[in-house]
Structures are given as C-alpha cells and as structure tokens.
Amino acid sequence: MPQDLAPGQLLARGAARHLAGHGFACIEEFVPAPGLRVDVMALGPKGELWVVECKSSRADFLSDAKWSGYLDWCDRFFWAVDADFPQALLPAETGLILADAYDAEILRMGPESRLAGARRRALTQKFARHAALRLQALRDPGAALEPR
C-alpha cells in the first residue's frame, strides 16, 4: 500500500485524487511521445489536458532536464511537491500543486497554452486507449497487452 510506493508515486496519487475531485481522469506514467514520460496526465471534463510532474526532493528536480519538453503536450503544466520541498526552485511560470499521499491543493494555476486541435485529438485518443488497456490488464493479467 502507501509504504510500497516511492515518494514521487505518493505525490502522484495525492495529486490525482485532488484532480479527480475536479472531474479529471488521471493516468500515471503516461508517454505522450517517444522519449517523454509524464508522472500524471489528466484529462478534464471539457477535454483539457494537464501534465503534473512530481518532485520529491531538490535532487529529483535538479536532475530533470526533460520537463520543458512536456509543455508541448498539455494545456497546463504543474509541479506537485510536498510541504518540505524548496518551492523557490520551481519556475514561476508553471503551476504548483502541494500534495501528499492522500490529497493535494493547487497553489498556483499553470498558465494555459491550448493544444492544437489535431494534437489534442491524437493525445486524447492515446489517453483513452492507454486507460482501456490498463483496465483490461487488471482484469486479465496474463494477456499480452502493451500500451502504444
């Protein structure tokens, strides 16, 4: 249970729980494009797509050189951190979520940068397919299912 999850996974869980309360469906460890893996991809009730990157420590943040590549794959971008994280490290032009293993709070809304229609459609279809394959894998763990 919680003790089996890494610190970043606990933050992802809390952030996803909070976003679910706002009508978002979330997938953890989603690959929007080759070479990118976001911690949380959230699909909102109006079709908006948000990315949440979870950082459990200063070293975790400083070692992440790919985060700016995620901006092209979402309408809003957020960091999820815990109460002990040095928030001054985070770029001011990004969203900020304070999270723990059980819930979260949006402290700063990420600026909106709307995806192009074709990219939104393709990403939403990929999100739906990925979610369905994960659900199917839970029901049939022996099946050879691989999200693409």
Side-chain angles (χ1 to χ4, degrees):
M1 307 288 183
Q3 64 274 16
D4 297 335
L5 299 176
Q9 292 172 312
L10 293 171
L11 294 172
R13 186 175 82 172
R17 283 181 173 187
H18 181 75
L19 293 174
H22 292 284
F24 282 79
C26 298
I27 296 177
E28 294 180 30
E29 298 185 5
F30 180 74
V31 178
L36 298 177
R37 185 197 52 78
V38 301
D39 293 328
V40 178
M41 177 67 81
L43 175 62
K46 296 179 182 176
E48 62 268 45
L49 289 159
W50 293 2
V51 166
V52 180
E53 273 300 291
C54 303
K55 295 300 167 195
S56 58
S57 68
R58 176 187 186 93
D60 186 18
F61 173 75
L62 294 175
S63 68
D64 185 351
K66 290 190 207 178
W67 75 267
S68 62
Y70 303 150
L71 300 176
D72 292 336
W73 299 94
C74 61
D75 296 310
R76 292 185 194 270
F77 178 86
F78 296 84
W79 300 103
V81 299
D82 67 18
D84 295 328
F85 188 91
Q87 295 175 16
L89 289 175
L90 303 172
E93 66 279 3
T94 57
L96 177 59
I97 297 173
L98 185 63
D100 62 23
Y102 301 98
D103 201 0
E105 177 183 358
I106 297 174
L107 298 182
R108 181 174 65 227
M109 187 62 70
E112 185 176 50
S113 179
R114 301 282 298 164
L115 290 169
R119 177 162 286 183
R120 176 180 311 288
R121 182 177 186 273
L123 197 52
T124 300
Q125 285 180 331
K126 187 172 188 173
F127 184 101
R129 180 171 166 72
H130 188 91
L133 287 171
R134 281 201 181 170
L135 180 59
Q136 190 174 355
L138 286 173
R139 289 187 169 181
D140 187 2
L145 302 172
E146 184 64 33
R148 295 175 195 214

